[in-house]
Amino acid sequence: MFRKSLLLSGLSLLMFTGVASATMRCGTALVSLGDTASVVREKCGAPDRSEDQNPVARVNGVPKLNAVKVSFWVYGPRNGASQHLKFIEDKLVAIDTRRD
């Protein structure tokens, strides 16, 4: 019985950890995975650093099949941590907090 309770507690903690990394607070606003770049910019302002990787193109300039635009934004450091955001085709797909 104790093992089962411990296992359920551990699984609950893992689920909570996954949810916590799927959002980022900007003042009183929250941004979440799936938000667009314009929504994030509206809620958090311009990033401190950003980098865009345009889709890989063929020799004639036409993007290769399944090539996508990827953008990386960084907010911070603030209070010893930076928020690293990854967008694919202007949709937020990853939020990573890194201690500096």
Side-chain angles (χ1 to χ4, degrees):
M1 183 69 173
F2 178 73
R3 274 188 177 164
K4 190 175 187 178
S5 176
L6 186 62
L7 179 63
L8 288 174
S9 297
L11 288 175
S12 298
L13 182 62
L14 285 175
M15 287 180 7
F16 177 74
T17 303
V19 171
S21 65
T23 62
M24 180 178 96
R25 180 169 298 284
C26 294
T28 59
L30 282 177
V31 294
S32 302
L33 298 180
D35 285 350
T36 63
S38 61
V39 167
V40 174
R41 188 178 297 272
E42 180 182 305
K43 291 180 179 180
C44 300
D48 296 312
R49 295 186 309 268
S50 66
E51 177 185 335
D52 291 330
Q53 295 177 351
N54 290 316
V56 177
R58 297 182 188 134
V59 177
N60 63 359
V62 175
K64 289 186 175 184
L65 185 64
N66 296 326
V68 296
K69 175 185 171 193
V70 180
S71 300
F72 299 97
W73 291 9
V74 178
Y75 288 94
R78 293 183 183 94
N79 299 323
S82 297
Q83 301 287 335
H84 295 255
L85 283 64
K86 179 180 179 181
F87 295 86
I88 296 179
E89 293 295 326
D90 289 329
K91 291 269 187 186
L92 183 58
V93 297
I95 302 170
D96 183 29
T97 302
R98 299 180 191 168
R99 294 279 170 206
D100 296 327

